[in-house]
């Protein structure tokens, strides 16, 4: 049976939310007059957004006011939206890329793809349907009266902007019917399906069931979104054990163990080697901001420990417990 989002009774917010009857009550209690409800209903969202260019992409940076309001909406409204808990590993507490990849570790055959221009392709109709289908889940008496305003607060030009605090949760739930349809198909055909944001991974031990899987995924996407969402051909591929299996920045080894990419391992090992043997070379690797460089290495070791603690133990054997643990605990000087 497919699981959906957490129920009200299981939410830590449920007790507090049930004390209030209206959105205005909850808003006022949350912001304590820092922001006024009448302004919340009328301010122009476009005046609260800064447009930035980053890595050839456009990022929309909300003002501190808009960001605070969007986080409030996430907590009190959008976290109650329906999602498929069995499939979705993005933008959820306690879920990660590791969980999304680990479910596939024992399989032999893989299909991976992603959705082109994910946030930007979720259009006005998709978002309006999301609101219409999910506001009944929200434990606020009059929330449906604010559907139009909610739409205005989470969109720009009718699209989900990259950079808005609400876009991740809304996008997850906008794909609910797609996730359900594809997941049901996968259950029947003994296929494992996980999604992390726009990245889709399917795997199985029967190579034949994946032969036309790209057409099947496209058909489910088309049923839910028409032509607004499409797969990215450049990121669509079949692979199998025996080849390098890299998903979401992680690697599945032939043994089925999930580990970090070799590029990260080489960088970490070079840093540890030169810290022990050539401090001047180490400093050149770390860069001008020494403290920031040390923090980066510490962060990478903590990331490795979360993904593959066995590899961290290998580093301890090779470079010594003292050195590795100094970096790990940010106590290196």
């Amino acid at each position: 049976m497919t699981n959906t989002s957490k129920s009200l009774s299981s939410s830590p917010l449920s007790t507090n939310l049930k004390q209030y009857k209206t959105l205005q009550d909850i808003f006022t209690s949350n912001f304590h007059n820092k922001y006024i409800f009448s302004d919340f209903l009328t301010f122009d969202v476009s005046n609260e957004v800064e447009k930035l260019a980053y890595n050839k992409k456009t990022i929309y940076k909300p003002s501190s006011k808009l960001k605070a309001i969007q986080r409030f909406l996430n907590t009190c409204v959008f976290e109650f939206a329906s999602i498929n808990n069995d499939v979705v590993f993005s933008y959820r507490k306690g879920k990660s890329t590791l969980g999304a990849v680990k479910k596939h570790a024992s399989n032999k055959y893989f299909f991976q793809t992603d959705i082109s221009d994910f946030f930007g392709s979720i259009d006005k109709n998709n978002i309006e349907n999301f609101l219409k289908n999910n506001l009944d889940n929200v434990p606020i008496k009059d929330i449906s009266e604010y559907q139009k305003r909610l739409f205005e607060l989470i969109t720009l030009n009718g699209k989900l902007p990259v950079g808005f605090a609400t876009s991740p949760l809304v996008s997850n739930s906008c794909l609910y019917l797609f996730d359900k349809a594809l997941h049901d198909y996968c259950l029947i055909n003994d296929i494992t399906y996980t999604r992390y944001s726009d990245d889709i991974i399917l795997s199985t031990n029967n190579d034949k069931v994946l032969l036309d899987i790209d057409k099947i995924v496209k058909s489910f996407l088309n049923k839910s979104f028409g032509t607004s969402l499409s797969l990215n051909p450049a990121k669509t591929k079949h692979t199998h054990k025996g080849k390098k299996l890299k998903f979401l920045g992680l690697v599945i080894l032939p043994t089925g163990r999930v580990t970090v990419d070799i590029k990260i391992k080489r960088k970490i090992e070079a840093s540890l080697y030169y810290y022990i043997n050539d401090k001047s070379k180490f400093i050149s690797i770390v860069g001008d901001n020494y403290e920031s460089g040390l923090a980066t290495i510490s962060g990478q070791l903590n990331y490795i420990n979360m993904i593959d603690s066995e590899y961290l133990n290998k580093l301890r054997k090779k470079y010594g417990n003292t050195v590795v643990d100094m970096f790990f605990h940010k106590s290196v000087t």
Side-chain angles (χ1 to χ4, degrees):
M1 180 178 292
T2 299
N3 294 322
T4 57
S5 60
K6 61 190 176 186
S7 65
L8 174 60
S9 61
S10 66
S11 169
L13 295 166
S14 59
T15 302
N16 291 331
L17 285 172
K18 284 180 179 178
Q19 296 174 19
Y20 305 107
K21 294 182 179 180
T22 69
L23 180 61
Q24 183 171 0
D25 289 334
I26 299 172
F27 184 94
T28 302
S29 175
N30 185 82
F31 288 111
H32 303 291
N33 295 320
K34 181 178 181 180
Y35 302 114
I36 306 303
F37 189 70
S38 59
D39 182 50
F40 162 80
L41 295 178
T42 58
F43 77 85
D44 188 341
V45 172
S46 63
N47 292 334
E48 301 290 334
V49 179
E50 181 182 0
K51 187 176 178 181
L52 304 173
Y54 180 75
N55 283 347
K56 299 181 180 180
K57 294 182 179 181
T58 301
I59 308 293
Y60 296 91
K61 181 182 178 183
S63 66
S64 58
K65 170 185 172 179
L66 181 56
K67 184 185 293 184
I69 287 172
Q70 289 178 342
R71 287 177 174 170
F72 162 76
L73 293 177
N74 277 345
T75 300
C76 296
V77 179
F78 300 132
E79 284 191 0
F80 294 93
S82 297
I83 59 169
N84 188 314
N85 280 326
D86 296 325
V87 166
V88 182
F89 286 80
S90 49
Y91 318 127
R92 298 176 56 211
K93 187 175 181 180
K95 300 292 184 179
S96 66
T97 53
L98 177 60
V101 174
K102 213 166 185 178
K103 287 191 74 170
H104 301 272
S106 62
N107 290 336
K108 297 178 181 178
Y109 303 99
F110 305 85
F111 171 82
Q112 61 185 120
T113 187
D114 72 14
I115 299 170
S116 298
D117 187 23
F118 183 42
F119 286 178
S121 296
I122 298 175
D123 62 20
K124 183 175 184 289
N125 288 335
N126 304 143
I127 301 164
E128 287 178 341
N129 286 334
F130 154 75
L131 291 169
K132 179 181 177 182
N133 294 332
N134 283 282
L135 291 186
D136 283 346
N137 298 339
V138 180
I140 299 173
K141 182 179 180 180
D142 59 350
I143 191 64
S144 61
E145 297 176 17
Y146 298 97
Q147 180 172 329
K148 183 176 182 293
R149 185 55 179 164
L150 292 175
F151 179 87
E152 294 169 347
L153 289 166
I154 65 177
T155 62
L156 281 178
N157 302 316
K159 301 290 183 71
L160 286 185
V162 176
F164 274 24
T166 44
S167 292
L169 287 183
V170 173
S171 68
N172 261 354
S173 191
C174 279
L175 265 68
Y176 174 71
L177 292 179
F178 165 77
D179 286 332
K180 184 180 186 308
L182 182 54
H183 186 223
D184 288 347
Y185 175 87
C186 289
L187 289 174
I188 293 169
N189 290 278
D190 198 23
I191 300 170
T192 302
Y193 166 40
T194 61
R195 179 173 64 81
Y196 192 93
S197 187
D198 57 343
D199 286 286
I200 293 169
I201 308 172
L202 302 173
S203 67
T204 183
N205 285 312
N206 180 358
D207 59 333
K208 292 182 174 57
V209 300
L210 293 181
L211 288 177
D212 294 314
I213 197 65
D214 56 331
K215 296 177 183 177
I216 292 164
V217 174
K218 288 176 185 177
S219 71
F220 286 128
L221 206 57
N222 185 259
K223 286 177 184 177
S224 294
F225 296 96
T227 59
S228 60
L229 265 65
S230 60
L231 300 184
N232 183 352
K235 299 286 185 70
T236 300
K237 66 177 181 178
H238 291 261
T239 190
H240 56 82
K241 279 189 175 173
K243 294 186 176 182
K244 184 176 181 179
L245 299 173
K246 186 176 179 180
F247 308 98
L248 304 174
L250 303 178
V251 175
I252 299 178
L253 299 175
T255 59
R257 195 173 100 229
V258 178
T259 189
V260 296
D261 189 44
I262 189 66
K263 292 179 182 178
I264 295 176
K265 291 181 177 181
R266 285 173 179 166
K267 187 173 182 179
I268 282 290
E269 295 203 31
S271 298
L272 295 175
Y273 174 84
Y274 286 117
Y275 178 80
I276 295 169
N277 297 289
D278 188 340
K279 286 290 174 63
S280 62
K281 180 68 173 177
F282 173 77
I283 291 171
S284 71
I285 290 175
V286 170
D288 294 335
N289 193 329
Y290 187 75
E291 292 299 323
S292 176
L294 296 180
T296 297
I297 295 171
S298 176
Q300 288 174 332
L301 286 172
N302 277 274
Y303 174 70
I304 288 172
N305 184 57
M306 180 182 73
I307 302 298
D308 185 0
S309 59
E310 185 177 327
Y311 176 67
L312 192 70
N313 290 333
K314 288 183 178 179
L315 292 179
R316 287 192 173 101
K317 290 177 182 178
K318 188 172 183 179
Y319 299 102
N321 287 329
T322 302
V323 170
V324 172
D325 286 341
M326 279 195 308
F327 277 102
F328 186 79
H329 297 294
K330 299 182 183 180
S331 59
V332 67
T333 57

